[in-house]
Every structure is written in structure tokens, then in C-alpha cells.
Amino acid sequence: MPCNIATQRDLIGGGLYKIFRRVSCWCCPLKGLDEMRALRKHFPDLWEKLQQWQRQTWRKFRSDYSAQELEAKFAEEDRKAERFKQVDLFGEKAG
């Protein structure tokens, strides 16, 4: 309960709880994909640092994806979302 009051008043995390469901170390490989997308979107400097760290090791960042694989996945999702916005329901370019 005190944590809920503190987060409602934005006393913990400097607004991070508005972006993330939970706040842990920003580079935690156990974060869900939605949290990784949010890190990429809202904290590009940290996302780039994660990419740099990944380039310095042979291990994957997560058991399912390396940091570069996550970047490729999210970039492709962004491209698809952008194309979707440009096409209206009838398959014609918008605007």
C-alpha cells in the first residue's frame, strides 16, 4: 500500500512507473519484451549502451535474443507499424 501511494505521487522512480510495470535494473535480461520495447523507446542512450555491451561478449543478452536481435525485431515492428499507419482500410496510401 505505501508503494502505491508513493508511485501515485510520483515519489519513487522519477516517473518510471508510468512507463514500466515494475522497476528493476534497466539492463535486466529478465525484463519482458514490452519492457525492453519501452527501454528502447524512452531511454535510447541506455538502449545503445546495452547494444555496446552485447558487442563486447559472445553471450546472448537473453536466452532467446541477443541485444542486436532485439533491435532488429523492434525495428521491424516499427517499420510494419509505420506502413500500417500509411495504408487506410481500403489499401490506399493515407494523406
Side-chain angles (χ1 to χ4, degrees), residues 19-34:
I19 299 169
F20 299 104
R21 286 181 303 135
R22 64 182 185 86
V23 176
S24 61
C25 296
W26 66 268
C27 57
C28 179
L30 300 178
K31 286 184 180 302
L33 291 178
D34 287 341

Side-chain angles (χ1 to χ4, degrees), residues 39-82:
L39 178 71
R40 180 179 179 261
K41 178 180 179 180
H42 298 285
F43 302 96
D45 55 328
L46 295 178
W47 185 253
E48 180 54 34
K49 182 179 277 293
L50 184 63
Q51 300 298 310
Q52 290 171 1
W53 288 349
Q54 180 68 72
R55 288 189 289 270
Q56 296 173 3
T57 184
W58 55 270
R59 291 182 170 200
K60 284 190 171 191
F61 170 63
R62 294 166 42 119
S63 62
D64 52 354
Y65 294 101
S66 69
Q68 282 79 20
E69 290 169 335
L70 285 172
E71 174 58 30
K73 175 180 177 53
F74 298 156
E76 179 61 22
E77 290 173 357
D78 290 348
R79 283 189 290 278
K80 286 180 181 178
E82 187 59 34

